[in-house]
Amino acid sequence: MQTNGAAGAIEKVKILGREDILIDHGLWTSYVAEDLLKNVKSDPSSATRFALITDTNLSRQYVPAFEQSFAQAKNSTNADDLLIKYEVPPGETTKSRDTVGALHDWLAENKCTKDTIIIALGGGVVGDMVGFAAATYMRGVSFVQVPTTLLAMVDSSIGGKTAIDTPFGKNLVGAFWQPKRIYIDLMFLETLPRREFINGMAEVIKTAAIWDEVEFAALEDNADTVLEFLGEKDSSRRPDAGMTRILKRHILGSVRIKAHVVSADEKEGGLRNLLNFGHSIGHAIEGILTPQILHGECVAVGMVKEAELARYLGVLDPGAVARLAKCLSSYGLPTSLNDKTLKTRSANRQCPVDELLSIMAVDKKNQGCEKRIVLLKAIGNTFEQKATTVADKDIQSVLSPSIRVSAGLDPPAKVECVPPGSKSISNRALVLAALGSGQCRLKNLLHSDDTQVMLTALSKLECASFSWDGNLVVNGNGGLMKACKDELYLGNAGTASRFLTTVACLAEPSEVDATVLTGNNRMKERPIGPLVDSLISNGVSVSYQERSGCLPISVGAACGFAGGEIALAATVSSQYVSSILMCAPYAKSPVTLKLVGGKPVSQAYIDMTIAMMASFGVQVKKSEMEAHTYHIPVQSYDNPAQYEIESDASSATYPLAIAAISGTSCTIPNIGSKSLQGDARFATDVLKPMGCTVKQTDSSTTVTGPQPGGLSPIPSIDMEPMTDAFLTACVVAAVTKPNRISSSTRIIGIANQRVKECDRIAAMKEQLAKFGVQCREYDDGIEVRACGRDQISSPSQAIHCYDDHRVAMSFSVLALARSALIEDKECTAKTWPGWWDTLSNKFEASLEGVDQIESVTRTNGLVRPIYQQSIFLIGMRGAGKTTAGRWAAKQLGWPFVDLDEEFQKVTGVEIRKFIQERGWNEFRKAESDVLSKVVKSKPRGHVFGCGGGVVERADNRKILTDFHTQGGLVILIHRPIKQILNYLYQDKTRPPYEDDPEQVWLRREFWYQQCSNYEYHGCADNRDATLGDVALAERNKFGQFLSFVTGNAPHLEKIRQKHTSFFISLTMPSLQKETEKALRESVVGSDAVELRVDLLQDPASTVPGIPSKEFIMQQTSTLREAVSLPAIFTIRTQSQGGKFPDSAVDEAEELYLTAIRLGFEYIDLELQWPQDLLELISQRKGPAKIIASHHAPKGLSWKDGSWMPHYNLALQHGNIIKLVGSAHRLEDNDELEGFRSWATKCHPSKPLIAINMGALGKLSRIRNPFFTPVSHQSLPFKAAPGQLSAAEVRRGLSLIGGLEPRQFYIFGKPIGASRSPLLHNTMFGETGFPHTYNRFEADSVTDELRDIIRHPDFGGASVTIPLKRDIMPALDSITEDARVIGAVNTVVSADPLSTPTCGVRHLTGHNTDWRGMMTALQNAGAHQPETTPATTSDQHSNTSGNHNNGSSALIIGGGGTARAAIYALHAMNYTPIYLTGRSPSKLQTLAADFTPLGINVQILQHGQPASQQIAKRADDEKTPAWPVTAIATIPAEGRIDEGLVGLLDEVFKAETTGLAKSAAQGEKREGGGKGRNRVLLEMAYKPAVTPLMGLAEAEGWKAVPGLEVLTAQGVEQFELWTGVRVGLDRAREVVLRE
């Protein structure tokens, strides 16, 4: 550690010729007041006003002590000075014109004159704003800076820059106004939050980076010490003398540099620009991400990007970029916009490059349109002593995530290129030097993501110390290290993960006795099992934390493994071998390493490791007697003074390939025939046979390509010695020209490439296909068809790189032959951070940065579904797994596999017989084999129904648990246990349980929970419902659940499209059957329903406000049966206005996880919970949306920024933000709207609920556009003070102009008796809409009618005869159902789900008649066949399913209504659909219209027995498949044709097998409830009972009057117009009202 400066003495720094900067600990309370009175005020003898300006947070903590100090100093000077105080709100919003204006007024009000001295106590916000106020009050009064944050101490307080923000940008209005003093008191750092401290370190590092390399090196050395001082959490900390020296040294160093620069260039003429290093890009980032991301965090990313820009322009060495990034990250600062913490804090907000460039365009350093950026030349030195002009295209290339490489390459004839150091050698050298004793200088170390990961991990294990002198200097500890208390996050660094697994076991215990290694999602899929198995067998404690065989793992601190003989499977990765080899000298006894399982993969890398170990003093002996066996002694490494790392031979293949393709020459000066790396053979073994000229010495390689088009394919090549180079070989093979010897290149020996950063073999095939290059995959290789350079095509889709550096670089070579857009260019940083710079500078390639990639399909042109893995259903026998499984399979379009049936198929024995003959134990074993096989063979695209006892065996439980913890779905299907037990006691189809069924359930209950990640509760018995009712309701309920858990329920997207949306807050103490009516009434007009858990009263609970998990499950089931809306799960704590105890954290966790299991669409998560709980629920939420909420019953100021901590936290954890304050005055609502406007502008993708509670807060509820919580008169009480109903909100919105009244009509003739005006006007009134529904009688589409529908206040219309067809040409568009039916009965103006807009409104014609018919039939209990097309909109075109399942239907009549009837019955999956009526010609026309659409329409003729015309059942060729549903569309008045009566009489009297018979005889379904009905729907409204209804009812049919259809289609119309679905029961009540 390097320190400088002494603690305990005031340091004074000159600025502009005066020692006005004072630095020490304790200045504020012991020095400042006296200095102000004696030295700063202009006349010590005169009375002076001192105006202390600070924010409300600092005032309480620091002002009282200063007031006391000031009083003491005043007494000692006998002066009559006056100290006055002014407080401002904290936060960036304080830097405004309003605040400065108010401050000016306050100063004048307090008679402050020219001699007043203003004291700015605070961070940068207070300092900037107060400084500007001082500069402008009375044309300038004196002020002093007392910075309280590290950032302000080293940056904003020094130099005299003062400013405020405007809506157009930060610091746009300001002045230069130098403070009389700057008091830097280190005491303030003791309470500075950790993040704020680190934020300030960005400026300290920046200053050293541009000016002082020695100071930069000291910062590198002291990083761990500083972070240890800061601790993990915010708390008061007092530095010891050593820490004080370190802090003082770095702050003093930074201050001196800035003071020197300001003194030389006060007004920013040139030199002072250097202080803006990192700020050009950093300020642009801050302009988008503020206030969630702090200034220093943005500047840190800006510094790295500006350093990368300097590297791209060829003025900065790549090592300097890596060193800068390493220093920043060592202080916990972000170095990339992809930084995990930065993305979390900013809620993944994007920084579009165009927007960044736009913000950079107004930078004060610019000259006209030219952007000027500070470029580094080296650490401690800049390229120029001012900012440098840089072209937009270069900035764009560096900032963009993707890059377009253009063909037409004309590189220099000869290029010498030195790739970065070998990743393989670099990582091995780092491990060996860290384990060794003494100092070792590593030359040409690769500076990349992978080596950075390794370096950071080795530092955290304390096995070495590291410093820089232009190269990395390693001081090894001789194998001594300590277990790391923090997880070692390794990203996607596979080499580091394998090497460090063994290194970690050498550690000795510290405060922890194990080290956890983890990585990103891809790293968690890459295998590490063979290495772990070998370590475990040698006495090391290693455990998997998630998935077996992969990271994360916990490695016990064993102080080395036992040694002796170690067997290791080395057929997957040679890195396993190298890992044990390198650590073996520190085993407790000599190691004999035996590689088993076949020929080791990548032998060249094993040889490399052995050779490098020898360079560090340890000789490995290869056995002469046994194959693949090595002997390693116990011996410490002896570090060489210097070790030079070869360039990476794999990376060298890319520049050599460019030469091959372009016909030019390229030399790699430090890789030759004596290289340690197998990939050094690429030139001789691959490019030379393809036609290149290769010259290779011991230490260099030169490749000269033939004339373009002169490369030839190689029939076959084994690339096992150089597997990483196969990707380069593939792209070169693609441009080879077929010849008589071969038309393709086959590469073998590369099986290990399937388990790299991605499956590289599959990746090359998929991405080469985009160039028109055909490939064939093999288990261990790939065959690439030769196309010739002229025949490959430029891809229309972007090249996906899979976060794999080698994929990106390989395709950048091919793109030089055919232009291509390459995604994720940053992934090359893994091994060649400056690759794109090299491509541009060395090879003069044309590159263009691309920010937004158009949405492209990455797999064979097919969009992958949201959820692809198979689904397993578990639960007790009789719970409904098979039924649910079939429903799921049909909904997803996947096969359903009943594992009991699969068992019988595999074993060839019926289950009952198998158990009788071999017993339950043998059955369970065989069942386990079946489960294991299907998981492996059918992991995707299947639905499996498991046997009830599948959880009885531990291995089955592990299979199912592993499946769902790895992202699969295992759903527990359950229904009330009493129903299940009743079924089990009666079921004779399966062998009886060995135990009582209830005991079986009790035994399995926990296992079911353990093995599943979701739980579906079926409906309880309803004896008043028909079987059809129950089946349809249950199916819809399960379908909604399945859509949600598979991620295919876009409920939030739909709600966000609405102009206003609501959720109903339930306040019932218990949801029961008796409350279902009130439930259904209360949700009308809402978009979701909130279950307030803390308001529920569980009879079994011993603590008020905490219901049990079981009670929640029962309540949820009842809620789902009654309501189909998305559900919100809310626990409201006492401190937030609810009843749940704040201290009941464990209980809350259990209930939240239960809600996730039950499939709640929304989880209201209070931000006051501990961070651990917030993170747990955020991670485990699955497809649920988090409503991150904070309620402040006592008030939350929307003006002073006190909401910011809650808002920022909500951004991290919430899909939706909910902030609730209290209104004490009407103006509070206006301030809230200002906040809403700001939040919407800053984070438009993050929905916001922002309201005030209380009577005065009602206006905020009316104004809140998204998801306003509402109440209803049917609920016992309101959930919050001031809560309104949805109808009240709409009425209020109408009053303030937010909801304009619209005019609705019924068009047709005659319409005088229509019930529609009564229905719709009643519903408008009850739901709060200010609309009116009128009659307009017309028998043609007149000009007057056209004027009505085009009037701005037209909202929509019902259309009846005779205008249903005539209206269609007057509309802008017709829906598909209306087009097929040939009639419009509903006109919709614009779209109720979108925000209303002015101007011409789009008119759309719909048909809701068919929907009304379908609803009426379903509600009457009509049978609905199982086969269901995917969507309603394409019903008419679905011909793929087998509809001929005995469920046919009949339509009586052939007029216009019959067309809607055909559509409705087809939508319900009836087939065939029979037509009968008086006019055969009309019937023939109808059949002819619909048959081409795939609808099976047949005509029943009069005069022939119906039994001879009805098709026979598929399962019984002798029995007709009689219609079970009929729709009558003929007029009710008049006499019915006798022939028609005879035919109908035969149909009505027929006893349809099974279905009709059970209905006619009134049979009950199992468990209660009525059977299914045969139903006649009579479309005539009058009389109440028509002759047809009487005829049908006489034969046991259920007859439904036409008013049911009128009601149902009216409900559909209302929803189309308003987005609100009213209750059918209430609508029926209105329609039938006399």
Side-chain angles (χ1 to χ4, degrees), residues 887-900:
W887 286 343
K890 287 173 182 175
Q891 182 170 326
L892 297 170
W894 293 353
F896 171 68
V897 180
D898 186 318
L899 289 188
D900 283 351

Side-chain angles (χ1 to χ4, degrees), residues 678-693:
D679 289 18
R681 296 165 53 180
F682 178 78
T684 56
D685 292 10
V686 178
L687 296 182
K688 187 174 182 180
M690 285 183 170
C692 294
T693 302

Side-chain angles (χ1 to χ4, degrees), residues 1061-1067 1082-1088 1090 1251 1261 1267-1273 1275 1277-1280 1282-1290:
S1061 56
F1062 309 92
F1063 66 83
I1064 183 74
S1065 298
L1066 299 182
T1067 56
S1082 69
V1083 301
V1084 171
S1086 291
D1087 303 282
E1090 179 186 44
I1251 55 177
R1261 296 177 183 273
F1267 239 21
T1268 304
V1270 294
S1271 186
H1272 191 270
Q1273 63 266 28
L1275 297 177
F1277 59 89
K1278 295 180 178 181
Q1283 199 171 65
L1284 303 171
S1285 69
E1288 289 172 325
V1289 171
R1290 293 191 190 95

Side-chain angles (χ1 to χ4, degrees), residues 751-993:
N752 70 325
Q753 293 295 301
R754 290 195 182 275
V755 292
K756 292 290 186 174
E757 282 79 349
C758 65
D759 181 340
R760 287 176 171 169
I761 297 174
M764 292 306 291
K765 178 184 177 182
E766 187 169 315
Q767 301 307 313
L768 280 170
K770 295 178 180 178
F771 289 87
V773 179
Q774 296 181 353
C775 300
R776 179 180 297 173
E777 278 188 70
Y778 300 94
D779 289 343
D780 73 335
I782 189 171
E783 184 175 350
V784 181
R785 183 168 295 278
C787 289
R789 179 168 175 167
D790 296 335
Q791 297 302 310
I792 62 173
S793 55
S794 186
S796 59
Q797 299 175 351
I799 301 304
H800 181 50
C801 297
Y802 309 90
D803 193 27
D804 191 324
H805 52 128
R806 304 234 175 264
V807 174
M809 289 188 278
S810 296
F811 279 101
S812 69
V813 173
L814 186 56
L816 295 172
R818 281 292 179 270
S819 302
L821 177 62
I822 297 176
E823 294 179 1
D824 191 23
K825 69 180 179 65
E826 296 294 332
C827 68
T828 62
K830 192 178 183 77
T831 48
W832 199 335
W835 168 245
W836 306 109
D837 317 338
T838 300
L839 205 57
S840 175
N841 296 326
K842 286 280 187 182
F843 294 96
E844 300 178 5
S846 175
L847 306 179
E848 176 192 0
V850 177
D851 185 19
Q852 298 296 334
I853 299 174
E854 293 182 5
S855 178
V856 295
T857 303
R858 295 175 175 170
T859 306
N860 303 325
L862 298 176
V863 178
R864 291 173 176 165
I866 295 173
Y867 181 82
Q868 290 183 300
Q869 288 181 259
S870 292
I871 296 173
F872 287 84
L873 306 181
I874 64 173
M876 290 288 285
R877 189 197 313 168
K881 300 187 297 296
T882 300
T883 301
R886 291 200 168 101
W887 286 343
K890 287 173 182 175
Q891 182 170 326
L892 297 170
W894 293 353
F896 171 68
V897 180
D898 186 318
L899 289 188
D900 283 351
E901 294 177 2
E902 186 74 4
F903 176 93
Q904 293 176 171
K905 178 180 175 183
V906 170
T907 62
V909 182
E910 193 266 337
I911 290 178
R912 175 185 285 271
K913 184 177 180 181
F914 189 101
I915 294 172
Q916 287 174 345
E917 293 178 353
R918 303 176 63 176
W920 278 100
N921 286 338
E922 287 301 312
F923 167 69
R924 292 296 179 208
K925 288 180 183 178
E927 181 185 49
S928 183
D929 290 340
V930 172
L931 176 65
S932 179
K933 287 176 183 177
V934 298
V935 168
K936 293 177 181 176
S937 63
K938 299 173 182 175
R940 292 173 178 266
H942 287 74
V943 179
F944 295 99
C946 299
V950 72
V951 297
E952 294 278 359
R953 282 178 62 90
D955 48 356
N956 287 352
R957 296 196 293 270
K958 184 176 188 307
I959 289 171
L960 292 169
T961 302
D962 286 348
F963 186 79
H964 77 70
T965 56
Q966 294 164 23
L969 286 178
V970 181
I971 301 173
L972 170 59
I973 304 294
H974 192 56
R975 62 184 175 125
I977 190 59
K978 289 183 179 179
Q979 290 183 36
I980 294 176
L981 294 176
N982 287 338
Y983 170 80
L984 292 176
Y985 287 127
Q986 298 172 27
D987 180 29
K988 306 302 180 185
T989 63
R990 293 286 301 272
Y993 291 122

Side-chain angles (χ1 to χ4, degrees), residues 1317-1466:
L1318 175 62
L1319 171 64
H1320 292 300
N1321 282 322
T1322 301
M1323 292 299 102
F1324 284 145
E1326 291 183 358
T1327 54
F1329 287 99
H1331 309 323
T1332 305
Y1333 188 98
N1334 310 285
R1335 291 182 175 89
F1336 184 86
E1337 194 162 73
D1339 55 10
S1340 65
V1341 181
T1342 62
D1343 289 342
E1344 185 180 2
L1345 189 150
R1346 292 178 187 275
D1347 290 341
I1348 288 174
I1349 64 176
R1350 291 299 174 181
H1351 196 276
D1353 68 1
F1354 176 71
S1358 307
V1359 184
T1360 186
I1361 55 173
L1363 301 181
K1364 288 189 174 184
R1365 282 182 175 272
D1366 296 348
I1367 194 81
M1368 295 170 73
L1371 306 178
D1372 299 310
S1373 61
I1374 305 295
T1375 58
E1376 185 67 6
D1377 51 5
R1379 184 192 67 79
V1380 172
I1381 294 169
V1384 164
N1385 81 321
T1386 307
V1387 177
V1388 177
S1389 178
D1391 185 346
L1393 297 182
S1394 63
T1395 302
T1397 56
C1398 297
V1400 178
R1401 300 173 69 81
H1402 187 89
L1403 302 181
T1404 304
H1406 297 253
N1407 189 297
T1408 62
D1409 285 334
W1410 73 272
R1411 291 183 180 274
M1413 294 177 190
M1414 188 165 69
T1415 301
L1417 288 171
Q1418 290 172 339
N1419 289 339
H1423 172 59
Q1424 183 162 346
E1426 285 194 5
T1427 302
T1428 304
T1431 61
T1432 305
S1433 62
D1434 61 0
Q1435 303 290 333
H1436 64 275
S1437 61
N1438 188 346
T1439 59
S1440 60
N1442 177 17
H1443 300 290
N1444 195 8
N1445 54 7
S1447 295
S1448 62
L1450 173 66
I1451 296 173
I1452 306 158
T1457 307
R1459 301 181 68 88
I1462 293 173
Y1463 200 91
L1465 292 172
H1466 178 64

